[in-house]
C-alpha cells in the first residue's frame, strides 16, 4: 500500500484488521533514538517504548548488527536441535541471579505466564500429589490475555467476557500481608506477584509485604513467582526489580525488552522446580529460536552493564524530581506519583485517556494504566533533556 495517505491506511486497518485495539489517529513510519516519526513527518518523544519493549530505543546499532548477522546464518530450526544462541542467552539469564538454574524460552509474556502456571502445578503434583493446584494472585494484577493469564488477572474487564476462566484461582489485596495470609491454604501451589504492577496502576510492592509473601509460601509449600515481564531488565534501575526487595523467587517470567522488539519470553526457575519437569511436559515451536535469542543476548549484555544501569538510576532520579515539581505545580490535578525507576505512574483527577490524546498534540507519547493513571515507560537510554521535554509536554497536556 505504498503511497497511500494516512487516512487511507487507517481505513484499510479498519477494513482488514480485527478491531481489538483503539489506535491513535496517525501512522508511525520510523524511529530514531528516543523519537518516533509519523507519515506526515511529525516527531514524537516516545515515553511508551512499545509498552516497555524498546528499552534501547530505535536504531540501536548493536541490535541491528545482531539481527542481520544471525538472520544471515540461521533463523529457525525448532527445539529438536541444539543452537548456540539459545544456550548463550539462557546462561546469561541464569547467571544474573542466584535464584535461577534453568530457563525455558517461549514467544511472549503471556506464554511465559502460562508456562509458569504449568510448572507450578507440575511441581506441586510431583511433591504433594493431587489437590494442590490453587494459584493466588492480587487485585490490580495483569498477567496477559491468554486463558490461564486472564484467570490470574484481577480486573473484571479482562475476565468477564470470557467466563468461565481457568478455575483454582484466589485473589488477595496487593501490599496487604493479612489479606494474603487469609487467602493461603495447603491447596495453594503458587503465589504470582508483580514487583511493580503495570496495567494495575504502577503500584510498587513493599519490601515487608514481599518478605512476608516469601515466608507464607515456605509455610504452605507454595512457589513464589515474580512477574517481571514489564518491570524487569533494568526498568527500575536494577537488572531485576526484585533485587531492591531482598527476596528471591522460585520462578520469574521475563519478556518485553528481552530481544529488542522481537517476540520472546522466558521462565527462569530454581533447580528444585526444573527437577519436576520432564521431557514432553511443555513445549513450543518458535520459542528460543536462534534469531530472537541472539538478539536477546546482545540486549541483555548492554542493559546489564553496570554503567548502563547507573545511567538508568541517574535519569530516574532526575525524572522523579521533575514529576515532584509537576505535582507541586498542579496539586489539584496530580494526586499521586507511583512506580520505580523509569516505570512511573501519575494518578490524576480526570481522564488519563484524555491526557494521553492531548499529549499527542505536543509531540509526546504516553500510555495509561486504568482510568486515572498516566503511565510513563521511556526507553532506558533517555537523557535529562528528554525528561525536561516530556514533562513540558505532559504539563501542557494536563492543562489542555
Amino acid at each position: 500500500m505504498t503511497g497511500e495517505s494516512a487516512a487511507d491506511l487507517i481505513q484499510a486497518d479498519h477494513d482488514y484488521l480485527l478491531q481489538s485495539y483503539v489506535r491513535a489517529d496517525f501512522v508511525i513510519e520510523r524511529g530514531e533514538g528516543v523519537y518516533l516519526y509519523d507519515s506526515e513527518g511529525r516527531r514524537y518523544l516516545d515515553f511508551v517504548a512499545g509498552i516497555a519493549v524498546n528499552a534501547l530505543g530505535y536504531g540501536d546499532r548493536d541490535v541491528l548488527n545482531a539481527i542481520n548477522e544471525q538472520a544471515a546464518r540461521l533463523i529457525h530450526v525448532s527445539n529438536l536441535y541444539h543452537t548456540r544462541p539459545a544456550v548463550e542467552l539462557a546462561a546469561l539469564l541464569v547467571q544474573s541471579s542466584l535464584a535461577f538454574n534453568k530457563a525455558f524460552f517461549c514467544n511472549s509474556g503471556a506464554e511465559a505466564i502460562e508456562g509458569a502456571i504449568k510448572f507450578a502445578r507440575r511441581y506441586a503434583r510431583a511433591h504433594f500429589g493431587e489437590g494442590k493446584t490453587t494459584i493466588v494472585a492480587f487485585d490490580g494484577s495483569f498477567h496477559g490475555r491468554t486463558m490461564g493469564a486472564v484467570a490470574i488477572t484481577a480486573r473484571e474487564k479482562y475476565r468477564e467476557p470470557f467466563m468461565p476462566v481457568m478455575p483454582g484461582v484466589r485473589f488477595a489485596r496487593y501490599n496487604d500481608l493479612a489479606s494474603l495470609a487469609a487467602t493461603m491454604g495447603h491447596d495453594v501451589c503458587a503465589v504470582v506477584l508483580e514487583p511493580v504492577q503495570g496495567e494495575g496502576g504502577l503500584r510498587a510492592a513493599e519490601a515487608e509485604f514481599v518478605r512476608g509473601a516469601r515466608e507464607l509460601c515456605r509455610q504452605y509449600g507454595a512457589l513464589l513467582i515474580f512477574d517481571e515481564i514489564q518491570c524487569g531488565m533494568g526498568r527500575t534501575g536494577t537488572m531485576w526489580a526484585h533485587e531492591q526487595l531482598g527476596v528471591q523467587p522460585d520462578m520469574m517470567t521475563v519478556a518485553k525488552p528481552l530481544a529488542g522488539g522481537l517476540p520472546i519470553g522466558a521462565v527462569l526457575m530454581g533447580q528444585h522446580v526444573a527437577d519436576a519437569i520432564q521431557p514432553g511436559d511443555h513445549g513450543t515451536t518458535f520459542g528460543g529460536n536462534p534469531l530472537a535469542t541472539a538478539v536477546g543476548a546482545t540486549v541483555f549484555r548492554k542493559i546489564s552493564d553496570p554503567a548502563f544501569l547507573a545511567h538508568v538510576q541517574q535519569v530516574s532520579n532526575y525524572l522523579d524530581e521533575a514529576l515532584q515539581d509537576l505535582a507541586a505545580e498542579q496539586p489539584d490535578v496530580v494526586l499521586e506519583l507511583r512506580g520505580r525507576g523509569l516505570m512511573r505512574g501519575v494518578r490524576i483527577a480526570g481522564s488519563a485517556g484524555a491526557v494521553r490524546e492531548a499529549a499527542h498534540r505536543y509531540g509526546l507519547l504516553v500510555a495509561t494504566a486504568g482510568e486515572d493513571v498516566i503511565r510513563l515507560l521511556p526507553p532506558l537510554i533517555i537523557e535529562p533533556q528528554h525528561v525536561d521535554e516530556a514533562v513540558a509536554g505532559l504539563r501542557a497536556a494536563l492543562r489542555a
Side-chain angles (χ1 to χ4, degrees), residues 44-74:
Y44 303 88
L45 176 61
D46 183 13
F47 263 54
V48 179
I51 315 180
V53 169
N54 301 317
L56 299 178
Y58 302 93
D60 181 88
R61 183 53 53 189
D62 294 321
V63 170
L64 295 178
N65 287 341
I67 291 172
N68 291 330
E69 291 173 9
Q70 186 59 47
R73 187 177 294 121
L74 188 65

Side-chain angles (χ1 to χ4, degrees), residues 88-167:
E88 289 181 347
L89 179 57
L92 289 170
L93 289 167
V94 164
Q95 293 166 9
S96 70
S97 170
L98 295 176
F100 309 124
N101 299 94
K102 294 291 190 293
F104 173 84
F105 290 120
C106 51
N107 308 286
S108 68
E111 288 178 68
I113 288 291
E114 295 284 343
I117 291 172
K118 289 181 69 176
F119 298 156
R121 286 187 167 177
R122 187 71 177 88
Y123 171 88
R125 188 182 186 92
H127 287 270
F128 301 98
E130 298 182 10
K132 192 176 181 66
T133 60
T134 299
I135 309 289
V136 173
F138 295 92
D139 67 310
S141 62
F142 180 84
H143 299 288
R145 298 177 184 272
T146 51
M147 288 302 282
V150 163
I152 63 171
T153 290
R155 294 181 66 186
E156 285 299 313
K157 64 176 282 189
Y158 297 119
R159 295 163 51 85
E160 193 277 331
F162 309 104
M163 298 292 283
V165 295
M166 180 186 75

